[in-house]
Amino acid sequence: EQIPFQEVMYKLKKALGTKNDLVLWPGDKNTTLEKVTVGCFPPGETLLVPIMGEDGDQWASVAEHAGFEVIRLGSEWGETIRGEDLELLLRNMNEKSVKGILLTAHETSTGVVVDVEPIAKKCREKGIACIVSAWDILGAIGLAMDDWNVDLLVTEVLEEVCLVSAGPKAWRCLQKIDDLKRSPGEQNRSKDQLSLRLLDSIGRILEVNLPKEYEKIKKTIRAGIQTMGLELLVKGDEIASPVFTTVRLPGGVDVDRVLDGIAEQGVGGVSRLKRKENQIIRVDHRECRNLELILSLCRALGIAVSNQGIPLQIQEGINRAQEVYYSE
């Protein structure tokens, strides 16, 4: 039985918190970011890009490659850009004309979540367009495009299938893009091909308790790792990603040996950041969806680090993780 495409769109709109039109684009992340950036702004304009990790830095590079003048607004890794940071920068820029901000709402490398609404409010006050990317977060946290009042939001629903929601002004700009000029017949065929895959994926994304589940996993992992004696890169729970936890390993620890040791214990989903500094590792919560897996992660990480002569309270961390899990 063919699933109505309208039902898919309704569920996606609900997940994004918007009544705006949506468009699905095949393609990878960087290609889609370039499309929406070029679609919304004429090349040569000045764009502001907050840098809170690798995602923001990559988007800035994509914009520069596309011919834009990019101003980077940086933060310490593990911290987030706030509305007052934007206000201060704009105040100090004199007559420099910024046409738009390219805002990463969920920095997947450092594991921070941005409070979008106050930044978008500052943009509206200054007449600056606000374009938001929200990768690896759909369904794990409440997105609220309409409440935020941003011009465009882009995320992904499947591998190589990106989702764009645009307000009226941004939508008119996007109409210039070739991918949106297909004939109705071509569009219908694409809808038929995507509907079954999308509905299955969206059904998982929109599970009723999924955001609560991710929040519980986040708090449990953070409590276990911190009690064990390791340093969390993101200090505040309120800005910590529900999908990724980042850990700063002690100086002198061989990170590759730690990762190898974790893998040898049969635990997956742990990787290292590519840039900034070599001592930061990232835990993917999607590989730790129950208490048993979380405890296995804590144990494997603790053993792999302590094997290099770093004293850790492994059992205390495991006990604390159990306490937090059952209290949530």
Side-chain angles (χ1 to χ4, degrees):
E1 182 181 353
Q2 180 60 53
I3 300 167
F5 193 70
Q6 291 77 9
E7 182 179 348
V8 175
M9 291 296 102
Y10 170 78
K11 292 187 176 183
L12 286 173
K13 287 182 180 183
K14 183 179 178 181
L16 267 61
T18 186
K19 295 180 180 178
N20 291 326
D21 289 332
L22 307 180
V23 62
L24 294 164
W25 271 335
D28 61 21
K29 177 179 178 179
N30 285 345
T31 301
T32 302
L33 289 177
E34 182 174 3
K35 283 181 181 180
V36 298
T37 306
V38 172
C40 289
F41 306 103
E45 296 285 11
T46 299
L47 303 178
L48 178 62
V49 185
I51 309 295
M52 294 161 283
E54 295 173 11
D55 290 344
D57 189 54
Q58 184 60 42
W59 200 358
S61 297
V62 166
E64 287 172 335
H65 181 74
F68 295 95
E69 181 180 350
V70 170
I71 298 172
R72 286 171 162 83
L73 174 59
S75 72
E76 290 293 325
W77 280 42
E79 297 181 3
T80 181
I81 298 295
R82 304 180 188 274
E84 51 265 35
D85 300 318
L86 176 61
E87 174 71 32
L88 181 61
L89 176 66
L90 294 174
R91 189 185 306 147
N92 292 334
M93 287 179 61
N94 299 320
E95 301 302 319
K96 193 76 172 180
S97 178
V98 175
K99 296 300 182 183
I101 181 170
L102 309 180
L103 178 63
T104 301
H106 178 229
E107 176 51 64
T108 65
S109 64
T110 54
V112 297
V113 176
V114 177
D115 188 0
V116 174
E117 189 169 9
I119 295 177
K121 182 179 179 181
K122 290 291 181 185
C123 289
R124 292 195 301 275
E125 292 172 357
K126 304 292 184 179
I128 298 172
C130 185
I131 310 300
V132 175
S133 73
W135 304 98
D136 288 323
I137 200 72
L138 186 63
I141 195 172
L143 298 177
M145 181 182 177
D146 290 354
D147 289 343
W148 295 338
N149 199 8
V150 300
D151 294 275
L152 183 146
L153 187 145
V154 57
T155 183
E156 84 292 345
V157 288
L158 295 172
E159 185 177 357
E160 299 293 314
V161 180
C162 297
L163 173 67
V164 179
S165 178
K169 184 177 179 180
W171 180 253
R172 288 193 295 271
C173 294
L174 294 181
Q175 294 293 322
K176 300 176 293 185
I177 298 177
D178 289 340
D179 286 13
L180 299 181
K181 295 180 180 179
R182 294 173 298 176
S183 69
E186 290 174 316
Q187 291 182 355
N188 287 336
R189 282 196 295 274
S190 296
K191 291 176 182 179
D192 291 343
Q193 292 165 2
L194 286 170
S195 291
L196 290 171
R197 296 176 61 216
L198 277 172
L199 190 65
D200 179 64
S201 176
I202 295 166
R204 293 193 300 271
I205 290 171
L206 296 182
E207 291 176 12
V208 174
N209 293 321
L210 197 55
K212 291 182 179 179
E213 177 187 330
Y214 271 110
E215 187 68 15
K216 181 176 184 175
I217 294 169
K218 176 186 86 173
K219 290 181 179 179
T220 302
I221 290 175
R222 285 172 60 84
I225 290 174
Q226 194 167 32
T227 301
M228 193 184 303
L230 292 173
E231 180 186 357
L232 298 172
L233 180 65
V234 181
K235 301 299 188 284
D237 280 348
E238 72 282 358
I239 63 169
S241 165
V243 182
F244 302 107
T245 290
T246 42
V247 183
R248 192 194 304 274
L249 297 179
V253 169
D254 186 322
V255 180
D256 287 331
R257 281 181 57 196
V258 169
L259 295 177
D260 289 344
I262 292 172
E264 287 170 3
Q265 296 175 69
V267 174
V270 184
S271 59
R272 70 187 302 169
L273 269 61
K274 299 175 183 176
R275 305 178 190 174
K276 188 65 176 177
E277 56 178 273
N278 293 330
Q279 297 304 113
I280 300 174
I281 63 171
R282 185 184 75 165
V283 176
D284 189 335
H285 301 172
R286 292 168 295 190
E287 301 291 330
C288 308
R289 293 286 293 275
N290 60 50
L291 179 59
E292 181 181 355
L293 292 173
I294 293 172
L295 299 184
S296 295
L297 163 72
C298 292
R299 184 179 294 105
L301 174 58
I303 291 172
V305 174
S306 63
N307 281 345
Q308 296 190 44
I310 304 296
L312 296 177
Q313 306 298 317
I314 300 175
Q315 190 57 51
E316 285 82 350
I318 290 172
N319 292 343
R320 179 58 182 154
Q322 288 179 308
E323 291 174 3
V324 171
Y325 187 86
Y326 285 120
S327 68
E328 287 295 317

